[in-house]
Amino acid sequence: MRSGPFLNRRALIRGSAAAGLLAVPAMGALTSCASGGGSGDDGGAERGETSADNPFGVSADADLEVVIFDGGFGDQYAVDAEALYQQRFGTVDHTKTQEIQSLLQPRMVQGDPPDVIDNSGAQAMDIAALIRNEQVHDLTELLDAPSLDDPNVTVRDTLMPGTVEMGQFGSEAVYRLNYALHVYGQWYSRTALERLGAEYPRTWDEMLTLCEAARREGIAGWTYPGVYPYYFNFTLYPFIGKIGGIEVLQALDNLEPNAWRHDAVRTAFEAYYELTARGYVLRGSPGMTHEESQTEWTEGRALFIPNGSWVENEAAATTPEDFDMAVGPPTGLDSSDAMPFGTLWASPGEPFFVPAAADNVPGGLEFLRIMLGRESARNFTELVSSLTVVRGATEGMSLPPGLTSASEILDAAGDNLVSSRLPDWYRQLNNEEIGGAVAAMMAGEIEPDEAIDRCQRAADATAQDDSIQKFQHT
């Protein structure tokens, strides 16, 4: 692992902390483990004759049950894809909810799940636990099937890089399909920066200078959803990778001893703590939901918010016409960074899976194949202002400002992409323990050293817990 020149900047950060700390946020219940088992590879459905048009042998009258997370993307895109399913097969029973876990966990345990689940949001089920209990159908046959638009091209070959890998959990099997291509970063208003006569900050000194200029105008530098503090990881993790290199993030994912005590992690935590110590975080942020913090941001009370590319759609109702939404790569530390400024976290998100015990597994697979068709992918982008994992689906489309910006920084990053598997390999560790430590630090309740100790203790406890399946970067 790397250490060295950036430590001088860390020393400066340590010496600059001041008063003005915020209150600790309340933490919501974010996850729990699943239990119970599924029955059979195809649930209760019998497969009919297969063809290029019907590669899974879905029966002509096979009904389908779909449950969609009703979050930033809403559910209209799924309703439209369901209409395409109903043109050829049975009817669709559609449910939208923000309470995925509480609604579906009992049904998973009882062996009576829906056919397709959009397992997203703060109440998503622990996919690793479901896989361990053999409750999730392997999607390999979907990936190897003819694509909807060209029978000579497999579904696998229509997907963006990283999509298949994000569905794998320590084996060749693929258990989930992440549909949206999320670009994470520091979201901002170009109009707001122009009013301050400022450029987007590339180094941490530039970030602090900009935040101070904003404060003089009565504007906070940052806000964030303290109720869901893992949002900070959308910029904190790539910041760590930018400072110390991608191997630091991989060590965190691998639960390596003392990985959280790496100099790059400490430097990043101290930089973020400086935002709080100097009073650059919007007062009240620790107690805000994602929607509340986004509204504070779109109404101009803070410059930056850590978020993903779903935010343009999710915050559309409160976004002024002249806001000119944009996203930038996480601000770097200084010239000693191991990776270039344009490095960012971009990866497939919004995970779908087909339960192993579903009544209509073939229909679930066909529904996902429909969603991966060009028509559904373009419809998704038009409706919710987000990219999908379908290659080339946005060609020729006119995109809104935020999505245009996300596409631009994704292109500029090239191969300088980083990601973290903690959110899906170890959901509770990421959302509750690490998220809680970062939340307490950003609320001024603890300092960086204690936050790091809490993260390391939680990672060690996860590593030593034999009931939790472990995964490794290879």
Side-chain angles (χ1 to χ4, degrees), residues 46-51 54-59 362:
E46 290 187 11
R47 298 207 183 204
E49 227 175 284
T50 63
S51 65
N54 186 8
F56 313 116
V58 184
S59 300

PDB file of all heavy atoms in Angstrom, residues 46-51 54-59 362:
ATOM      1  N   GLU A  46     -43.923 -24.262 -15.571  1.00  0.00           N
ATOM      2  CA  GLU A  46     -43.412 -25.242 -16.518  1.00  0.00           C
ATOM      3  C   GLU A  46     -42.915 -24.505 -17.745  1.00  0.00           C
ATOM      4  O   GLU A  46     -43.555 -23.589 -18.243  1.00  0.00           O
ATOM      5  CB  GLU A  46     -44.524 -26.216 -16.907  1.00  0.00           C
ATOM      6  CG  GLU A  46     -44.932 -27.156 -15.787  1.00  0.00           C
ATOM      7  CD  GLU A  46     -45.919 -28.201 -16.270  1.00  0.00           C
ATOM      8  OE1 GLU A  46     -46.109 -28.300 -17.502  1.00  0.00           O
ATOM      9  OE2 GLU A  46     -46.490 -28.888 -15.418  1.00  0.00           O
ATOM     10  N   ARG A  47     -41.759 -24.921 -18.246  1.00  0.00           N
ATOM     11  CA  ARG A  47     -41.210 -24.286 -19.442  1.00  0.00           C
ATOM     12  C   ARG A  47     -41.839 -24.899 -20.687  1.00  0.00           C
ATOM     13  O   ARG A  47     -42.003 -26.105 -20.786  1.00  0.00           O
ATOM     14  CB  ARG A  47     -39.702 -24.448 -19.484  1.00  0.00           C
ATOM     15  CG  ARG A  47     -39.010 -23.781 -18.299  1.00  0.00           C
ATOM     16  CD  ARG A  47     -37.605 -23.368 -18.637  1.00  0.00           C
ATOM     17  NE  ARG A  47     -36.943 -22.798 -17.471  1.00  0.00           N
ATOM     18  CZ  ARG A  47     -35.931 -21.950 -17.540  1.00  0.00           C
ATOM     19  NH1 ARG A  47     -35.461 -21.579 -18.707  1.00  0.00           N
ATOM     20  NH2 ARG A  47     -35.381 -21.472 -16.444  1.00  0.00           N
ATOM     21  N   GLY A  48     -42.162 -23.994 -21.627  1.00  0.00           N
ATOM     22  CA  GLY A  48     -42.694 -24.446 -22.905  1.00  0.00           C
ATOM     23  C   GLY A  48     -41.578 -24.580 -23.926  1.00  0.00           C
ATOM     24  O   GLY A  48     -40.394 -24.670 -23.588  1.00  0.00           O
ATOM     25  N   GLU A  49     -41.985 -24.562 -25.187  1.00  0.00           N
ATOM     26  CA  GLU A  49     -41.014 -24.674 -26.260  1.00  0.00           C
ATOM     27  C   GLU A  49     -40.163 -23.410 -26.324  1.00  0.00           C
ATOM     28  O   GLU A  49     -40.674 -22.304 -26.167  1.00  0.00           O
ATOM     29  CB  GLU A  49     -41.761 -24.845 -27.598  1.00  0.00           C
ATOM     30  CG  GLU A  49     -41.187 -25.964 -28.455  1.00  0.00           C
ATOM     31  CD  GLU A  49     -42.017 -26.177 -29.695  1.00  0.00           C
ATOM     32  OE1 GLU A  49     -43.105 -26.776 -29.577  1.00  0.00           O
ATOM     33  OE2 GLU A  49     -41.576 -25.707 -30.758  1.00  0.00           O
ATOM     34  N   THR A  50     -38.875 -23.573 -26.561  1.00  0.00           N
ATOM     35  CA  THR A  50     -37.985 -22.419 -26.650  1.00  0.00           C
ATOM     36  C   THR A  50     -37.715 -22.054 -28.103  1.00  0.00           C
ATOM     37  O   THR A  50     -37.817 -22.889 -29.003  1.00  0.00           O
ATOM     38  CB  THR A  50     -36.650 -22.695 -25.948  1.00  0.00           C
ATOM     39  OG1 THR A  50     -35.985 -23.770 -26.604  1.00  0.00           O
ATOM     40  CG2 THR A  50     -36.862 -23.038 -24.483  1.00  0.00           C
ATOM     41  N   SER A  51     -37.374 -20.773 -28.310  1.00  0.00           N
ATOM     42  CA  SER A  51     -37.028 -20.262 -29.643  1.00  0.00           C
ATOM     43  C   SER A  51     -36.204 -19.009 -29.453  1.00  0.00           C
ATOM     44  O   SER A  51     -36.027 -18.525 -28.324  1.00  0.00           O
ATOM     45  CB  SER A  51     -38.303 -19.948 -30.441  1.00  0.00           C
ATOM     46  OG  SER A  51     -39.013 -18.888 -29.805  1.00  0.00           O
ATOM     47  N   ASN A  54     -38.383 -16.671 -27.820  1.00  0.00           N
ATOM     48  CA  ASN A  54     -38.816 -17.080 -26.485  1.00  0.00           C
ATOM     49  C   ASN A  54     -37.782 -18.059 -25.914  1.00  0.00           C
ATOM     50  O   ASN A  54     -38.053 -19.253 -25.749  1.00  0.00           O
ATOM     51  CB  ASN A  54     -40.203 -17.733 -26.556  1.00  0.00           C
ATOM     52  CG  ASN A  54     -40.780 -18.051 -25.191  1.00  0.00           C
ATOM     53  OD1 ASN A  54     -40.224 -17.663 -24.157  1.00  0.00           O
ATOM     54  ND2 ASN A  54     -41.885 -18.783 -25.170  1.00  0.00           N
ATOM     55  N   PRO A  55     -36.565 -17.556 -25.617  1.00  0.00           N
ATOM     56  CA  PRO A  55     -35.453 -18.445 -25.267  1.00  0.00           C
ATOM     57  C   PRO A  55     -35.629 -19.200 -23.955  1.00  0.00           C
ATOM     58  O   PRO A  55     -34.948 -20.199 -23.728  1.00  0.00           O
ATOM     59  CB  PRO A  55     -34.256 -17.497 -25.187  1.00  0.00           C
ATOM     60  CG  PRO A  55     -34.846 -16.148 -24.923  1.00  0.00           C
ATOM     61  CD  PRO A  55     -36.159 -16.150 -25.630  1.00  0.00           C
ATOM     62  N   PHE A  56     -36.547 -18.753 -23.097  1.00  0.00           N
ATOM     63  CA  PHE A  56     -36.718 -19.408 -21.794  1.00  0.00           C
ATOM     64  C   PHE A  56     -37.973 -20.281 -21.747  1.00  0.00           C
ATOM     65  O   PHE A  56     -38.277 -20.865 -20.722  1.00  0.00           O
ATOM     66  CB  PHE A  56     -36.765 -18.357 -20.676  1.00  0.00           C
ATOM     67  CG  PHE A  56     -35.676 -17.336 -20.787  1.00  0.00           C
ATOM     68  CD1 PHE A  56     -35.993 -15.997 -21.006  1.00  0.00           C
ATOM     69  CD2 PHE A  56     -34.343 -17.702 -20.711  1.00  0.00           C
ATOM     70  CE1 PHE A  56     -34.986 -15.051 -21.141  1.00  0.00           C
ATOM     71  CE2 PHE A  56     -33.330 -16.752 -20.847  1.00  0.00           C
ATOM     72  CZ  PHE A  56     -33.657 -15.431 -21.061  1.00  0.00           C
ATOM     73  N   GLY A  57     -38.698 -20.341 -22.862  1.00  0.00           N
ATOM     74  CA  GLY A  57     -39.884 -21.178 -22.911  1.00  0.00           C
ATOM     75  C   GLY A  57     -41.001 -20.694 -22.017  1.00  0.00           C
ATOM     76  O   GLY A  57     -41.664 -21.495 -21.348  1.00  0.00           O
ATOM     77  N   VAL A  58     -41.248 -19.380 -21.998  1.00  0.00           N
ATOM     78  CA  VAL A  58     -42.337 -18.834 -21.188  1.00  0.00           C
ATOM     79  C   VAL A  58     -43.670 -19.273 -21.785  1.00  0.00           C
ATOM     80  O   VAL A  58     -43.904 -19.138 -22.987  1.00  0.00           O
ATOM     81  CB  VAL A  58     -42.279 -17.291 -21.133  1.00  0.00           C
ATOM     82  CG1 VAL A  58     -43.357 -16.748 -20.205  1.00  0.00           C
ATOM     83  CG2 VAL A  58     -40.906 -16.828 -20.690  1.00  0.00           C
ATOM     84  N   SER A  59     -44.547 -19.792 -20.962  1.00  0.00           N
ATOM     85  CA  SER A  59     -45.872 -20.199 -21.423  1.00  0.00           C
ATOM     86  C   SER A  59     -46.674 -18.981 -21.870  1.00  0.00           C
ATOM     87  O   SER A  59     -46.557 -17.900 -21.287  1.00  0.00           O
ATOM     88  CB  SER A  59     -46.624 -20.922 -20.307  1.00  0.00           C
ATOM     89  OG  SER A  59     -45.911 -22.083 -19.912  1.00  0.00           O
ATOM     90  N   PRO A 362     -39.119 -18.492 -15.664  1.00  0.00           N
ATOM     91  CA  PRO A 362     -38.909 -18.152 -17.083  1.00  0.00           C
ATOM     92  C   PRO A 362     -39.450 -16.767 -17.425  1.00  0.00           C
ATOM     93  O   PRO A 362     -38.814 -16.005 -18.168  1.00  0.00           O
ATOM     94  CB  PRO A 362     -39.674 -19.253 -17.824  1.00  0.00           C
ATOM     95  CG  PRO A 362     -39.740 -20.393 -16.876  1.00  0.00           C
ATOM     96  CD  PRO A 362     -39.846 -19.776 -15.516  1.00  0.00           C
TER      97      PRO A 362
END
